[in-house]
Amino acid sequence: MADFALGPVARSAGYRLAGYDEIGSTNVEALAATAAGDPGGIWFAALHQTAGRGRRGRAWESTPGNLATSLLIIPDAEPNALATLGFVAGVAMQTAFARILPQGAVRIGIDGADALDGRGRVALKWPNDVLADGAKVSGILLEMAKTPDGRNAIVIGIGVNVVAAPTGLPYPATSLRELGYERSAEEVFAALADAWVEAFSLWQDGRGVSDILERWRGSAAGIGAPVAVQQDGVVRRGIFETVDSSGRLVMRDDDGARIVITAGDVHFGATASARS
């Protein structure tokens, strides 16, 4: 049976929680709560999703024992700042891992070969993934909806491969168990809920986007390395330079042209040149 609980920081901040053993989709549940007039500040967490979904309409496979969770918030922020909440979630997820994994498992900053793919540490991959040893261990999905009174509500869905990773994907994936860390979904969730409060406070209703992006860049995978971005069947290749003040990926192609990417599937290092 699921035994989800908010951490002390999240409880003190007034967040609420609905926990499940199994659910179709925590994001769908959060969107339904939005339509019903929920005031926001509520987490939905489950040990198993039967109809999870990821970015760009893909399914998100959820093995029982993994963490599927979604947060419904109604922030008082400008619409153009809302998309940067994915970076807030990434910073929070990495902070959570740093607190529940052994010292040294999460290393901040980029050095040597680690710049290529985040290998040997937990790193953040643009736009909304978390890597461990170069493989995806967590994914983030943002969805927007209108409240009954016309405000912008954001649902932040986060999946964490706690006990198992999906197979047959076009990219490597791993789990905490595969990495040698025996943790429960409930433990990961409690750490995440507390870390979210801290990261969201830094975001300051969109006024602190630059601070969040600075934190995110400091733990980013692939900066300074070859990158390939696939958009609607077209692949752009170059060197990943940075993430700009709006959260867009900035790269330089072989001719030195600066390319700004707002969305796409990203591959780093050797896979950047191997994929078409």
Side-chain angles (χ1 to χ4, degrees), residues 49-211:
Q49 282 192 140
T50 59
R53 58 197 192 201
R55 290 179 59 241
R56 305 171 75 85
R58 300 188 180 102
W60 176 270
E61 182 179 330
S62 177
T63 300
N66 284 348
L67 173 63
T69 186
S70 299
L71 172 63
L72 165 61
I73 58 173
I74 307 173
D76 183 17
E78 294 297 323
N80 60 1
L82 297 178
T84 63
L85 283 166
F87 296 96
V88 180
V91 168
M93 192 71 256
Q94 190 185 48
T95 299
F97 282 142
R99 291 176 179 170
I100 64 172
L101 299 182
Q103 186 175 4
V106 179
R107 295 193 285 122
I108 305 301
I110 298 172
D111 53 4
D114 290 344
L116 292 178
D117 57 11
R119 191 165 301 283
R121 67 190 179 104
V122 174
L124 300 173
K125 179 187 176 187
W126 188 90
N128 289 332
D129 289 339
V130 183
L131 305 180
D133 280 354
K136 183 172 177 175
V137 71
S138 176
I140 299 162
L141 173 67
L142 267 62
E143 296 190 88
M144 182 184 295
K146 288 291 186 181
T147 66
D149 60 1
R151 291 176 295 161
N152 290 319
I154 302 295
V155 172
I156 303 158
I158 302 173
V160 183
N161 298 330
V162 178
V163 300
T167 58
L169 301 175
Y171 51 82
T174 190
S175 68
L176 296 183
R177 176 172 290 173
E178 185 176 342
L179 294 166
Y181 307 127
E182 287 293 337
R183 299 292 185 270
S184 69
E186 293 92 339
E187 184 180 2
V188 175
F189 171 77
L192 171 61
D194 278 355
W196 167 265
V197 176
E198 299 162 18
F200 187 62
S201 296
L202 185 63
W203 189 70
Q204 295 184 74
D205 286 331
R207 297 186 301 278
V209 168
S210 60
D211 295 325

Side-chain angles (χ1 to χ4, degrees), residues 13-35:
Y15 284 84
R16 296 170 291 134
L17 168 64
Y20 306 87
D21 290 325
E22 183 177 283
I23 196 171
S25 164
T26 55
N27 262 36
V28 168
E29 195 73 14
L31 290 168
T34 304

